[in-house]
Structure formats: C-alpha cells, structure tokens
Amino acid sequence: MGQQTFFRMTTDKQKQPAELASSFASAAGSSCFIVGAGPSLAGVDVDALLNAPAPRFCINLAGTGLFRPQFWTAYDPTARFSRSTYLDPGVMKLLPARRALDLVPETTWKVCDCPNVYFFQGDRERGFDNFVGSQHATVVDWNDSLMQAIDVAYQLGFRTLYLLGCDMRIEPPAELCALAKENDLDMPAGASLHDVLQQWERQGFGREERKGLTAEGVYHFEEAKSLETASATDFHYFRVAQFLRLSRRAMSLAGLKLISVTSESRLNDFFPYQTLTAAIREIHDACGDPGAETTRGRYARTEARLPDSAPAMRDFSPLHWPGGTSPCRKAETPGHSQRASRAREMLQADVLVEEEG
C-alpha cells in the first residue's frame, strides 16, 4: 500500500493514515462545487444550490451566512476562520498539517481535536505540467486556497469542478471611481483594481494621494480591506488565474474539468462558463433530480429498476482471471496458482466419482 495523502493527527503529533483518496469517485463521474467568497455569491440561488446532488466544497469564509459547507479547506491562519466550521461534524475539513496544533478560535481545543478533520503535507516543488495526478501523495502549495481546494477535490475523486463565487477579481470601489472623476484620472473600462492603481501611479497619483481609502464589497460577506491590501489581493487573483491557465494540459491529461459558474470571473477567459442553472441540469442528468423523484410504490418493489433504454447486460469476470466465472479476485502467485488448480482438479474428480456412483 502506497503512502496516503490524508491523515489524522493527535496532539502528540502522531499520524494516523486515512484512506480517503478516490473515496468520492464515481463511474458516472463525480462533481462538486468549489465555492469561493467573491461578491457574486451574494446573488446565487441558494435553494437550487442546496438541492443539487453535488457537494459544496467551500474555501475560507465562503458561504458564511448563506449555507454550510460539506467540504472545507483553508490556507491562511486558523484564527481567521469560524469556530463552528471546525467543530461541526458534518463538515469534512481538509487542512495543511502545519495547522494541526493551532487553537480553534474561541476555544482551548487544538484543530486536530476536531471531528471529521484530515491533514496533508504541502508540496512547493510541483510544476504546471503535473499540477494534478494520481501519483501525488501531497497537496500543491502555491500559497493559495483555491489551488489547494482543486488538488484536494481531485485527490478525493471529483473530476468535474464547478467554480462558484470565484470572481477572481476586485472591482474598483465606488469611492475610487468618484476620486477618479474629481482628479481627471483614467478609469479604463473593465479594468480591475490593481490595473487601475497601476495606471494612476503612472499618472502621478500614488499611495500618498489615496492614503486611508478602503475597499468594500471585496467578498460576499461583510469585510473591508485597505486599498493597498485589496490591490495586492487582486493581483494575487490575476496570478492564480494564470497558474490555472498554464496547468490546463495537466488537468486535461488527468481527466479533470474546471467549469466556471461565475459570470464575471477572470477564469472565463480560459475555461468554459455555464450558468448555475445549466450546471445543476448537468448534475441532474448524471445523478438524478431529487425534486422529481417519487416515493409512491417504492417499498412494494424489489426488482432492479433499469432505464427503459437499458440493453441486455451480463456480468463476466476478466477473461483470463483465475477461477472462471467466480467472483473476481487478485491473481495468485505461480505456486499458489498451481496448488489452486490442482485442488480444483481434485474437486472435479470427486464430483465425477459421486455422479458415476
């Protein structure tokens, strides 16, 4: 058995391997929502999302005040996040091992004491050509929660990831737009915050002139950042979008699909975009529509319920599998195989003798 990517930890730093890899894979192709905290999330159809048969994998504080995550990860310090996320047994938490001995906010518990929490080691050596793949026993560490979430989701077995609330850009706030008008500063259409401030630097309107300004509406929840911090965050989003662009071939080879369901996302220049309604329709096609399923008469049936178009089917063992049509099992060692073959011959001979008798 190879090295496990995910593990539990104890307060004395003992590791307990957890076989989570591919646990959520499906022959039909498993999908999930990767949920970011962009302002667009405030306008999402929450009821439709909650009823979709695909889990919500939230990043950092994404979804706060709207819905609970089913999977959750974070890259930043533990103190930035919510006590209820760590202590909720219904949320599977997947975190870098360096967070295991952090204190859960507003408690004296360690993160490793929490229910349904698993850890992994970060990998800072990974390149774009092997961003995701079944060979990894670590999770990519590119200083970003979204990249981390994508790799974790892949290793858990999800192969279609719908990116919701992943705006990946910060718009210039209204206060800044008003400032531009007052000072005859350029405000290029469609430019994000970092681009605007860079343009203003070239026009001689630098940090001193905009000192004290803040950026609201950076996330879907209530929070503000200084203008400079928001600008750095916007550039970080730009860089991560480029990371994903440069990793597209690796994701294709690994069978991973990223689909944006965020209408104004930076990612839409490089990845396919769908509305949330269209994404949920695809998920219903693969999994079934919970809202359309009936219960009348279900308990009166015991036979298999196949699609009307189902062809004739019959289960077979692999062609040269030892044991013929018996349940599949791993191939035996040569000596074991010979002994097993001899035992079958003796058993068949005994049956023949009984029939002749």
Side-chain angles (χ1 to χ4, degrees):
M1 183 173 61
Q3 183 181 354
Q4 298 296 323
T5 301
F6 303 103
F7 49 87
R8 296 274 300 174
M9 281 188 71
T10 63
T11 51
D12 55 1
K13 301 182 181 180
Q14 300 300 303
K15 292 183 181 180
Q16 302 162 347
E19 297 187 23
L20 293 182
S22 299
S23 294
F24 297 91
S26 165
S30 289
S31 59
C32 76
F33 291 99
I34 301 291
V35 184
S40 65
L41 197 65
V44 75
D45 184 343
V46 172
D47 288 339
L49 184 64
L50 292 177
N51 289 315
R56 301 173 299 279
F57 192 147
C58 294
I59 300 168
N60 299 336
L61 291 172
T64 300
L66 298 175
F67 47 76
R68 301 291 293 161
Q70 291 153 301
F71 297 87
W72 181 77
T73 195
Y75 186 88
D76 293 346
T78 299
R80 294 184 175 179
F81 307 117
S82 302
R83 170 186 176 181
S84 64
T85 301
Y86 291 100
L87 295 177
D88 184 349
V91 178
M92 178 179 281
K93 297 158 282 283
L94 302 122
L95 297 166
R98 67 181 183 276
R99 301 298 180 203
L101 298 181
D102 287 358
L103 287 171
V104 175
E106 300 153 17
T107 79
T108 58
W109 298 104
K110 297 288 190 180
V111 171
C112 63
D113 289 323
C114 295
N116 206 4
V117 61
Y118 299 91
F119 301 98
F120 52 79
Q121 296 292 351
D123 180 1
R124 294 189 170 187
E125 304 298 322
R126 199 172 310 172
F128 301 132
D129 68 312
N130 65 340
F131 166 46
V132 288
S134 58
Q135 75 274 22
H136 296 309
T138 55
V139 170
V140 69
D141 181 350
W142 288 348
N143 291 18
D144 182 72
S145 298
L146 176 60
M147 304 301 298
Q148 178 174 289
I150 290 171
D151 193 16
V152 168
Y154 180 85
Q155 295 202 44
L156 291 177
F158 297 106
R159 290 296 179 266
T160 301
L161 306 182
Y162 296 99
L163 274 56
L164 180 65
C166 294
D167 301 55
M168 303 296 288
R169 63 184 297 116
I170 297 177
E171 301 293 338
E175 186 180 6
L176 205 62
C177 295
L179 191 64
K181 191 172 182 179
E182 291 172 10
N183 293 273
D184 294 323
L185 296 166
D186 292 337
M187 182 69 79
S192 66
L193 179 60
H194 181 76
D195 298 331
V196 168
L197 296 188
Q198 290 290 99
Q199 173 71 20
W200 289 6
E201 292 274 359
R202 291 190 287 271
Q203 292 182 258
F205 194 84
R207 295 192 178 205
E208 280 302 314
E209 288 77 10
R210 58 182 188 256
K211 189 175 181 180
L213 294 179
T214 59
E216 299 278 353
V218 175
Y219 305 109
H220 74 83
F221 46 79
E222 185 179 357
E223 178 63 295
K225 289 190 172 189
S226 72
L227 204 59
E228 304 310 322
T229 302
S231 174
T233 300
D234 183 49
F235 182 75
H236 174 78
Y237 290 155
F238 172 78
R239 182 175 60 184
V240 169
Q242 302 309 308
F243 286 172
L244 287 170
R245 173 182 64 85
L246 295 165
S247 300
R248 285 179 298 186
R249 183 174 183 271
M251 289 188 279
S252 177
L253 290 173
L256 177 63
K257 292 195 300 181
L258 295 190
I259 298 174
S260 170
V261 287
T262 308
S263 61
E264 301 298 326
S265 174
R266 257 198 179 109
L267 296 176
N268 297 356
D269 292 331
F270 312 118
F271 295 92
Y273 165 74
Q274 292 181 3
T275 64
L276 178 61
T277 299
I280 291 176
R281 190 182 305 122
E282 279 190 349
I283 295 167
H284 285 167
D285 289 343
C287 298
D289 180 356
E293 292 174 329
T294 61
T295 57
R296 175 71 67 177
R298 286 290 182 258
Y299 284 172
R301 296 191 60 168
T302 56
E303 70 275 16
R305 304 198 324 266
L306 292 172
D308 294 335
S309 59
M313 296 183 296
R314 179 180 173 187
D315 293 348
F316 290 91
S317 296
L319 190 58
H320 299 293
W321 209 265
T325 58
S326 62
C328 296
R329 61 179 183 272
K330 290 184 178 179
E332 300 144 334
T333 59
H336 186 111
S337 180
Q338 292 173 2
R339 292 194 298 273
S341 178
R342 178 59 182 157
R344 284 195 296 271
E345 291 173 2
M346 293 174 65
L347 180 60
Q348 291 169 355
D350 290 343
V351 170
L352 183 60
V353 168
E354 289 180 4
E355 288 177 349
E356 291 176 349

